[in-house]
Amino acid sequence: MKKSMLTALIALGFITPIITNTGASAAEFNQNEPNASAIIQKINQQQQKLPKLSEKQLKIQDSDIETWMPNPTVREAVLRLLVSAGYLPEGSTVNDITKDLLASVDDRSIFNIDIDTFAGGKITPNLSEGLQYFNPKAQVTMEISVADDSQAMQIDFTQLHENLTRWDILVINPDKVANSQLAQKIIDAKLAPKGDDGSAPGVYYLRANYTKNSHHVAPIFTKSIDISNSLSPTINVTNDDFWKEIDQSLFLNSVVNSALVAKSNDYAVLKFGRFFSFDQTSEGNFLGTLPDTEAIVDAMDRVNNDPQAYYTLLLQTNLYYDNQHQEILLGSSIYADFHK
């Protein structure tokens, strides 16, 4: 809190319970108006009568993982990662996780924590509490999948950013109802920068349905690319294709990239930056063209032979950066199929 703690406690009415919990009531203090030293002595006497935790009790309290890592989904995810990495044996439970164990993981360890609300993952404000005990030289990342922005709005982003090497939020929704309040909440948190090490967090909206396959995404096609006359087609997209709501003034620039993907296994035949090249032609408009490369010619021959076997993933990213705080990526994905 920025304001005085004392002022805040008085305003919230917490001062009276703090005093009366010692056993000395306000009425006792008012009798004969004792001086300050007498009041302090009486409080000290009452506090000495309060039970104190033994070293054993403190140790038990410290080892209670539900206290220092309160989110149940995070506890289970950390357990699976520690077992798979060999830090805990098969059959271990979350109660076998200790702060000392997290601190002892190898400097080069990588732990990718998946919080999938579609699969029952729980989001709480203190989502990352407990992860700060990992070896600070290890990489601890988190991907959070939600159906709408409101689920992510409750997260303490300052804590999340401090406790993780990197984090991303995926909003998987066929209607893509973006909520600018989420981006604004993250910006308002004034996150400390982590340098140019690829740790820039992002929020990504995917126009898709959630599925139980390994990729968890079934694209909703909102564009279709005509290849009946040319295997070097052009495609036009606008900000409105990607967003229903976005405050562009929050961001420095918008960039559109594309990838060519096989429907059968969601394999990227041509990755981002190797397919359509987009130029911004006017406010909110982007024109995509295909560079004349051998890789693209070969790929488009395959598309021509079976147009329904492929699709294009289009991603627009917007960068927030104010030269003082952590840069934030806000992305939006749409999908286009092919037809003749």
Side-chain angles (χ1 to χ4, degrees):
M1 274 188 260
K2 297 296 182 184
K3 60 185 177 181
S4 161
M5 181 65 74
L6 178 62
T7 303
L9 290 174
I10 292 173
L12 294 172
F14 285 126
I15 287 296
T16 300
I18 287 174
I19 293 177
T20 56
N21 281 344
T22 66
S25 68
E28 287 179 282
F29 289 155
N30 289 332
Q31 288 178 1
N32 303 319
E33 298 183 355
N35 58 32
S37 60
I39 294 175
I40 292 172
Q41 183 180 11
K42 187 171 184 63
I43 291 176
N44 288 338
Q45 289 173 347
Q46 295 293 339
Q47 287 178 334
Q48 289 171 5
K49 296 178 183 178
L50 294 176
K52 294 184 178 180
L53 294 177
S54 67
E55 280 190 33
K56 182 177 180 181
Q57 288 173 316
L58 287 170
K59 187 174 181 180
I60 291 173
Q61 186 182 64
D62 183 61
S63 65
D64 179 10
I65 192 170
E66 292 186 11
T67 299
W68 59 267
M69 189 181 287
N71 185 282
T73 305
V74 171
R75 290 197 299 268
E76 293 295 337
V78 170
L79 174 63
R80 288 192 296 270
L81 292 169
L82 290 172
V83 170
S84 65
Y87 291 104
L88 284 174
E90 292 287 345
S92 297
T93 71
V94 293
N95 294 320
D96 296 311
I97 303 173
T98 65
K99 296 176 184 178
D100 287 342
L101 174 60
L102 299 186
S104 70
V105 301
D106 189 81
D107 289 355
R108 295 168 294 177
S109 297
I110 299 175
F111 298 93
N112 299 312
I113 298 170
D114 184 18
I115 307 297
D116 187 349
T117 62
F118 295 92
K122 304 296 183 185
I123 289 182
T124 53
N126 54 1
L127 186 61
S128 65
E129 181 65 28
L131 300 179
Q132 71 269 30
Y133 299 112
F134 268 102
N135 177 355
K137 293 184 179 180
Q139 291 188 43
V140 184
T141 68
M142 183 178 289
E143 183 175 279
I144 305 163
S145 299
V146 296
D148 60 76
D149 308 76
S150 62
Q151 294 173 285
M153 283 291 288
Q154 61 180 302
I155 296 172
D156 181 339
F157 286 102
T158 299
Q159 183 191 72
L160 188 76
H161 192 63
E162 288 177 351
N163 293 349
L164 293 166
T165 307
R166 177 193 167 89
W167 53 271
D168 292 293
I169 297 174
L170 302 181
V171 183
I172 304 173
N173 190 310
D175 297 321
K176 282 270 288 305
V177 180
N179 175 1
S180 60
Q181 291 181 346
L182 178 58
Q184 189 64 60
K185 179 175 181 178
I186 297 171
I187 291 170
D188 289 344
K190 300 186 184 304
L191 306 177
K194 291 191 174 181
D196 300 325
D197 58 357
S199 60
V203 179
Y204 299 93
Y205 293 87
L206 282 67
R207 181 75 60 86
N209 285 309
Y210 179 85
T211 69
K212 293 184 179 180
N213 65 25
S214 60
H215 295 276
H216 299 317
V217 169
I220 299 294
F221 296 105
T222 58
K223 291 280 186 180
S224 189
I225 302 171
D226 186 356
I227 57 171
S228 58
N229 297 318
S230 172
L231 293 181
S232 296
T234 59
I235 181 172
N236 288 281
V237 292
T238 70
N239 282 330
D240 289 340
D241 289 321
F242 292 96
W243 302 99
K244 287 191 176 182
E245 178 188 338
I246 183 175
D247 183 355
Q248 290 284 355
S249 67
L250 296 174
F251 304 94
L252 295 180
N253 60 346
S254 296
V255 177
V256 177
N257 281 295
S258 71
L260 177 64
V261 185
K263 287 183 180 178
S264 61
N265 56 6
D266 291 309
Y267 173 75
V269 178
L270 293 173
K271 297 180 180 180
F272 281 120
R274 297 183 179 180
F275 199 39
F276 278 98
S277 176
F278 284 88
D279 294 313
Q280 192 162 7
T281 57
S282 61
E283 186 176 353
N285 294 316
F286 300 86
L287 176 65
T289 58
L290 287 175
D292 186 15
T293 67
E294 184 177 346
I296 286 180
V297 171
D298 289 345
M300 290 308 295
D301 281 339
R302 282 189 272 175
V303 173
N304 186 46
N305 291 331
D306 190 0
Q308 293 305 307
Y310 301 91
Y311 66 86
T312 302
L313 169 58
L314 302 165
L315 171 66
Q316 184 191 45
T317 53
N318 300 273
L319 176 67
Y320 168 81
Y321 186 52
D322 63 1
N323 292 311
Q324 295 181 7
H325 304 100
Q326 175 64 54
E327 63 183 22
I328 306 293
L329 290 173
L330 188 67
S332 174
S333 292
I334 62 173
Y335 304 85
D337 58 11
F338 295 92
H339 72 274
K340 291 185 181 181

